[in-house]
């Protein structure tokens, strides 16, 4: 039995701003853009990983979520407390320069970590934290 990651979800509050970041700054390709009942889901992914999708979804897209739950989610997003994903890169410093130059909000400049990677971190336009890691050379 083989289990692989196929999709993960990131909550965004403005899909157009998210697309400018994920497509234009990170270089991900747009694979799908679907609207339903006033909501929108945009699927992006790395061209080198055609089987792995990142779905940019509305905050708390669950139709059964209560108004209180939606409010809590919006507050957490506004505070930047939601985590996104960790991307692997073969050049953390070049990735940092590219995303910085595109206007990405820097949370951490590239640094070697004691757990064996060089990484940096940004917030996307919705406040999600994204990390970019490169294995340290041995």
């Amino acid at each position: 039995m083989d289990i692989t990651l196929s999709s993960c979800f990131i909550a965004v509050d403005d899909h157009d701003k998210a697309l400018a970041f994920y497509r234009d700054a990170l270089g991900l390709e747009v694979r799908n853009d679907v609207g339903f009942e006033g909501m929108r889901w945009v699927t992006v992914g790395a061209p080198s990983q055609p089987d792995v999708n990142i779905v940019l979804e509305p905050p708390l897209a669950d139709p059964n979520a209560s108004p209180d739950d939606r409010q809590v989610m919006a507050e957490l997003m506004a505070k930047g407390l939601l985590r996104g994903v960790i991307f692997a890169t073969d050049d953390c410093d070049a990735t940092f320069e590219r995303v910085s130059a595109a206007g990405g909000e820097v949370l951490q400049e590239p640094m070697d970590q004691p757990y064996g990677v060089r990484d940096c971190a940004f917030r996307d336009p919705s406040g999600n934290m994204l990390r970019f890691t490169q294995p340290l050379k041995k």
Side-chain angles (χ1 to χ4, degrees):
M1 183 173 87
D2 186 27
I3 296 175
T4 61
L5 177 65
S6 125
S7 300
C8 63
F9 295 82
I10 297 177
V12 299
D13 57 2
D14 184 321
H15 281 86
D16 293 325
K17 287 182 181 176
L19 267 176
F21 182 78
Y22 286 93
R23 180 192 56 213
D24 303 338
L26 300 186
L28 301 180
E29 62 185 17
V30 177
R31 296 180 179 160
N32 208 349
D33 191 338
V34 177
F36 181 71
E37 295 188 0
M39 292 192 278
R40 184 178 178 194
W41 289 263
V42 178
T43 303
V44 296
S48 61
Q49 289 186 300
D51 296 333
V52 179
N53 299 298
I54 299 171
V55 182
L56 307 173
E57 66 173 358
L60 233 120
D62 184 341
N64 298 316
S66 72
D68 289 344
D69 289 342
R70 292 182 193 283
Q71 181 62 34
V72 168
M73 182 68 163
E75 290 171 3
L76 290 172
M77 180 175 274
K79 291 178 181 176
L81 294 177
L82 300 181
R83 293 187 177 263
V85 296
I86 299 175
F87 291 94
T89 177
D90 61 354
D91 190 333
C92 181
D93 294 277
T95 300
F96 178 81
E97 293 303 322
R98 177 182 171 167
V99 178
S100 295
E105 180 186 346
V106 177
L107 292 178
Q108 176 202 303
E109 294 189 9
M111 61 185 295
D112 293 348
Q113 300 290 355
Y115 41 89
V117 299
R118 181 167 181 80
D119 69 358
C120 61
F122 292 87
R123 284 207 195 285
D124 75 4
S126 295
N128 300 294
M129 182 175 68
L130 308 175
R131 299 192 78 80
F132 299 86
T133 68
Q134 172 188 0
L136 287 175
K137 293 181 178 139
K138 296 179 182 177

